[in-house]
Amino acid sequence: MPHAEGSTVITGRHPEEVFDFLADGANNPRWRVGVADISRMTDSPVEVGTVFRQGMRGPMGRRIAADYRITEYDRGHALGFEVVAGPARPTGRYELAPTQTGTTVRFTLDWQPQGLARLLAPAVARQMPREVAALGRLKQVMEAQ
């Protein structure tokens, strides 16, 4: 099962601020370079069950569906999601903790390939650490605000 994880410290930001930024999928293109487009499927507040329609930039500029659903919503502490559309459907979780100078963000990403999707496992396994490495960009964006 492909797995990736990493963490960063965002200086000068409380866990609730970081959580709110992460929970608002509209922020994804600001710090995740592979996101081509994203929109919330409902007008209701983000909570467990909220679905975001997300497109990722694929090979040769093609859009790859990567819609996701919020599976855990504990403001300031943990945000979980599962990808519900597209060829790879990983699960992810952000854990937030206060520090003396800001917030530690830990991100884990897991994928259990099923059926023919197993053929994609090597490519997805290579991409997952890149997704986790985007925490560096998250840090830059949030500290610059």
Side-chain angles (χ1 to χ4, degrees):
M1 170 173 79
H3 171 84
E5 64 182 80
S7 64
T8 192
V9 175
I10 299 175
T11 305
R13 299 290 176 187
H14 296 283
E16 291 79 11
E17 291 176 90
V18 177
F19 181 93
D20 291 346
F21 187 89
L22 290 169
D24 183 356
N27 290 320
N28 286 355
R30 296 178 58 193
W31 66 280
R32 295 179 54 225
V33 296
V35 176
D37 59 80
I38 189 161
S39 61
R40 191 166 13 153
M41 299 299 288
T42 64
D43 290 332
S44 60
V46 177
E47 60 188 5
V48 170
T50 298
V51 176
F52 287 89
R53 184 173 187 267
Q54 177 176 249
M56 303 296 289
R57 291 181 187 91
M60 304 202 300
R62 297 178 66 188
R63 181 186 188 278
I64 299 173
D67 304 355
Y68 67 93
R69 176 180 21 250
I70 302 296
T71 58
E72 179 180 9
Y73 188 96
D74 184 5
R75 187 168 185 261
H77 301 282
L79 181 69
F81 66 90
E82 63 182 351
V83 176
V84 295
R89 299 186 180 193
T91 59
R93 186 170 194 262
Y94 298 97
E95 295 177 31
L96 297 91
T99 68
Q100 289 184 351
T101 61
T103 300
T104 297
V105 180
R106 182 172 177 263
F107 179 35
T108 58
L109 196 56
D110 291 293
W111 182 46
Q112 185 88 10
Q114 310 249 338
L116 290 176
R118 289 183 181 143
L119 298 173
L120 299 173
V124 173
R126 284 190 302 274
Q127 182 60 32
M128 287 172 58
R130 292 182 196 127
E131 285 292 325
V132 171
L135 286 175
R137 179 78 180 131
L138 173 68
K139 175 181 174 65
Q140 290 174 349
V141 168
M142 292 215 64
E143 289 179 355
Q145 289 188 29

